[in-house]
C-alpha cells in the first residue's frame, strides 16, 4: 500500500462529485456529439482529478512553529488588521498572503496546535485574489486560533475569480493540531495568516510554500525578518 501511495495520490472526497460529472459529460460528448469533444472532456476530467488531490504531508512538530496553511506563492507580507468578524481588535498585525493557482493543492491545513476560538463565514465579491483588497472585499472564511502559550493567530480562506465555494469543517471550541486538514477552496484562491504581535515571518515574497510543511514563522526565534523577494 505504501508503494502504491507514492504513485497514486489520494483524492479529497469533496472532489468526487465533480470528477464524476466531468466524466459523464465527457462520455456523452464523445458518444453522442463528436469524438474530439470526448477527448477534450477526458483532459478536463483528468485535470479535475489533479485539482482535488490530497497528498499526505510531514508537518514539523517542534513547539512554536507556524506552518503554511496552503500550497502556493507568497505574494504579500504586510501589516493589516484581522477580519473584524473575529473580534481581534483594530491593531495591524503582520499578514502573510499565499496565492493558490488552479494547479496547486487546495486542501487547507491548520498552522499550529491550539484551539479554534472563532470560525466565521463572510459573504463578498470575487475579485482577483492576488489583489490586496481581496482580503476585505471577497467571500471568506476566517478563523481565530489560540496557541498553547495563550497568544492568538488568525488564518483566512479567501475566494478568487474562479473560486465559488469555500469549505471548512472546524468549529469554535475545537482542539486542532498543526498540519491537520481544516478546509478546501474551489477553484483558485488565497489564504492569509496573521502572526502574533512582534513575530516576524521566516518566508519572503515570491517564495513557494507547501501547506502543512513550510515554516512561516517561529514564535521563539529572535532573527530579523528576511529582506527582499524571490526573483524568477
Amino acid at each position: 500500500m505504501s508503494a502504491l501511495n507514492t504513485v497514486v495520490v489520494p483524492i479529497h472526497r469533496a472532489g468526487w462529485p465533480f470528477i464524476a460529472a466531468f466524466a459523464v459529460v465527457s462520455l456523452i460528448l464523445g458518444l453522442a456529439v463528436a469524438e474530439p469533444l470526448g477527448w477534450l472532456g477526458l483532459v478536463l476530467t483528468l485535470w479535475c482529478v489533479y485539482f482535488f488531490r490530497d497528498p499526505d504531508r510531514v508537518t514539523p512538530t517542534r513547539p512554536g512553529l507556524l506552518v503554511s496553511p496552503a500550497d502556493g506563492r507568497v505574494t504579500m507580507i504586510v501589516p493589516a488588521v484581522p477580519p473584524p468578524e473575529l473580534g481581534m481588535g483594530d491593531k495591524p498585525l503582520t499578514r502573510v498572503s499565499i496565492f493558490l493557482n488552479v494547479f496547486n493543492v487546495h486542501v487547507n491545513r491548520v498552522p499550529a496546535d491550539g484551539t479554534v476560538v472563532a470560525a466565521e463565514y463572510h459573504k463578498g465579491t470575487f475579485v482577483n485574489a492576488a489583489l490586496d483588497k481581496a482580503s476585505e472585499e471577497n467571500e471568506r472564511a476566517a478563523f481565530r486560533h489560540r496557541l498553547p502559550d495563550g497568544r492568538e493567530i488568525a488564518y483566512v480562506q479567501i475566494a478568487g475569480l474562479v473560486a465559488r465555494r469555500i469549505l471548512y469543517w472546524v468549529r469554535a471550541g475545537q482542539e486542532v493540531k498543526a498540519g491537520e486538514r481544516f478546509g478546501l477552496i474551489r477553484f483558485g484562491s488565497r489564504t492569509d495568516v496573521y502572526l502574533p504581535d512582534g513575530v516576524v515571518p521566516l518566508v519572503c515574497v515570491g517564495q513557494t510554500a507547501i501547506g502543512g510543511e513550510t515554516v512561516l514563522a517561529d514564535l521563539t526565534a529572535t532573527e530579523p525578518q528576511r529582506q527582499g523577494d524571490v526573483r524568477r
Side-chain angles (χ1 to χ4, degrees):
M1 182 62 71
S2 59
L4 182 62
N5 286 341
T6 62
V7 178
V8 181
V9 177
I11 305 301
H12 193 276
R13 62 182 182 276
W16 285 116
F18 289 87
I19 295 168
F22 271 77
V24 170
V25 171
S26 301
L27 183 62
I28 293 173
L29 289 175
L31 295 178
V33 182
E35 184 177 339
L37 292 179
W39 287 111
L40 176 60
L42 176 61
V43 171
L44 293 176
T45 301
L46 293 176
W47 171 81
C48 193
V49 171
Y50 182 75
F51 178 88
F52 284 105
R53 68 197 186 280
D54 184 14
D56 292 330
R57 295 288 164 78
V58 180
T59 301
T61 57
R62 181 165 64 81
L65 298 182
L66 303 180
V67 298
S68 175
D71 288 24
R73 183 172 179 267
V74 178
T75 55
M76 283 180 283
I77 300 177
V78 296
V81 176
E85 61 267 24
L86 294 181
M88 297 179 68
D90 56 4
K91 180 179 180 178
L93 301 174
T94 299
R95 185 187 74 203
V96 180
S97 297
I98 301 165
F99 179 75
L100 296 77
N101 64 40
V102 294
F103 298 105
N104 290 128
V105 172
H106 273 61
V107 175
N108 302 135
R109 295 174 180 267
V110 175
D113 293 352
T115 304
V116 178
V117 177
E120 301 290 340
Y121 173 78
H122 175 83
K123 291 183 178 180
T125 60
F126 298 94
V127 302
N128 188 343
L131 300 177
D132 184 54
K133 65 179 181 179
S135 293
E136 298 180 0
E137 297 182 7
N138 278 23
E139 176 182 327
R140 64 179 180 262
F143 307 89
R144 182 176 178 176
H145 178 112
R146 183 171 295 120
L147 300 168
D149 65 4
R151 285 184 283 183
E152 293 187 335
I153 62 172
Y155 39 99
V156 188
Q157 299 171 294
I158 302 173
L161 278 174
V162 294
R164 286 298 184 270
R165 185 72 189 276
I166 291 175
L167 304 175
Y168 63 92
W169 42 85
V170 294
R171 298 292 182 267
Q174 182 173 337
E175 299 285 336
V176 291
K177 292 291 186 180
E180 178 181 338
R181 298 165 175 85
F182 77 87
L184 180 147
I185 316 175
R186 304 190 303 240
F187 282 94
S189 49
R190 188 174 117 195
T191 60
D192 288 345
V193 179
Y194 294 81
L195 305 180
D197 188 28
V199 174
V200 300
L202 298 180
V203 293
C204 56
V205 172
Q207 182 174 338
T208 298
I210 299 175
E213 292 190 355
T214 300
V215 175
L216 295 185
D218 184 348
L219 301 178
T220 64
T222 58
E223 63 185 272
Q225 181 174 340
R226 296 181 181 181
Q227 302 299 315
D229 55 51
V230 176
R231 302 291 181 179
R232 295 189 176 186

